[in-house]
């Protein structure tokens, strides 16, 4: 007897990357799902935060409230870092493209974007100093030189490493399509 719920190995999520026609185009959306490395790192950070929160409860029961508050504050920092790690990536809307990093967010309006293209180049592996040959989505802005610009997406970052190679192509094509649709001045 087949059960009516969806399982993790179902094939129903093949069109999740396609925006529905009634979706609000002014809402910021990520054109891809967070990758396994990013989700795994955030899960480990949240697990660490749970242990630190538990230790703050023990410290509150046995030691001074000031030391418990310090440990509780440290746990909150870990939770905020895990949530920010999940928020990292590229977000698009009708207003522009937003590149969210761990400590900063950079928004570029579509009228400032000269071109968005995928190139083959050495890219950082998981954001570490080690580089490997891969693909990068590069955004050139109007009035700025294209030399030394950091890529917006790479095929070896935490969102696409360990996934189907077509996932990066779909995400890059989606960002390029948004740039073509809204980037015309």
């Amino acid at each position: 007897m087949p059960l009516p719920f969806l399982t993790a190995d179902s094939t129903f999520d093949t069109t999740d990357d396609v925006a529905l026609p009634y979706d609000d185009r002014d809402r910021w959306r990520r054109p891809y799902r967070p990758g396994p490395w990013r989700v795994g790192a955030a899960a480990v950070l949240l697990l660490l935060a749970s242990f630190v929160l538990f230790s703050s409860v023990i410290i509150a029961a046995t030691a001074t409230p000031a030391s418990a508050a310090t440990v509780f504050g440290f746990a909150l920092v870990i939770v905020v870092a895990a949530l920010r790690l999940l928020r990292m990536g590229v977000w698009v809307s009708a207003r522009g493209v937003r590149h969210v990093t761990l400590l900063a967010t950079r928004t570029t309006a579509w009228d400032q974007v000269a071109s968005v293209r995928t190139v083959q180049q050495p890219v950082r592996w998981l954001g570490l100093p080690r580089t490997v040959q891969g693909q990068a989505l590069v955004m050139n802005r109007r009035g700025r030189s294209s030399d030394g610009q950091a890529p917006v997406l790479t095929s070896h970052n935490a969102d696409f490493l360990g996934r189907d190679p077509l996932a990066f192509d779909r995400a890059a094509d989606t960002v390029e399509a948004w740039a073509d649709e809204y980037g015309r001045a």
Side-chain angles (χ1 to χ4, degrees):
M1 173 176 143
L3 298 175
F5 58 86
L6 299 177
T7 61
D9 59 347
S10 67
T11 59
F12 292 102
D13 59 344
T14 56
T15 60
D16 284 347
D17 295 336
V18 178
L20 298 173
Y22 55 83
D23 280 342
D24 185 16
R25 305 289 271 180
D26 289 329
R27 206 171 145 235
W28 290 101
R29 70 185 73 217
R30 188 189 331 233
Y32 55 90
R33 289 180 295 218
W37 286 89
R38 187 173 309 284
V39 173
V44 168
L45 280 176
L46 289 174
L47 183 65
L48 175 68
S50 70
F51 287 125
V52 174
L53 283 171
F54 184 67
S55 68
S56 73
V57 169
I58 293 173
I59 290 172
T62 60
T64 64
S67 60
T70 302
V71 174
F72 182 75
F74 180 64
L76 286 181
V77 168
I78 294 172
V79 169
V80 168
L83 294 177
R84 186 66 180 185
L85 184 67
L86 287 174
R87 183 103 173 121
M88 287 173 57
V90 174
W91 298 76
V92 293
S93 79
R95 291 176 274 174
V97 61
R98 181 173 284 174
H99 187 219
V100 180
T101 61
L102 189 61
L103 299 176
T105 300
R106 186 178 63 235
T107 304
T108 306
W110 288 120
D111 59 354
Q112 295 176 355
V113 175
S115 68
V116 177
R117 59 191 166 83
T118 304
V119 295
Q120 285 277 13
Q121 68 180 29
V123 295
R124 292 177 144 197
W125 184 77
L126 288 177
L128 298 172
R130 177 181 174 216
T131 59
V132 294
Q133 190 63 28
Q135 293 181 335
L137 184 71
V138 178
M139 180 177 63
N140 294 327
R141 297 184 193 159
R142 296 187 202 279
R144 293 196 182 171
S145 68
S146 60
D147 299 341
Q149 291 229 357
V152 179
L153 285 177
T154 66
S155 59
H156 287 78
N157 69 4
D159 289 321
F160 300 107
L161 191 64
R163 287 176 66 182
D164 182 23
L166 295 176
F168 173 78
D169 294 335
R170 282 193 306 265
D173 290 345
T174 303
V175 175
E176 289 173 4
W178 278 79
D180 286 342
E181 184 175 349
Y182 292 104
R184 297 185 185 130

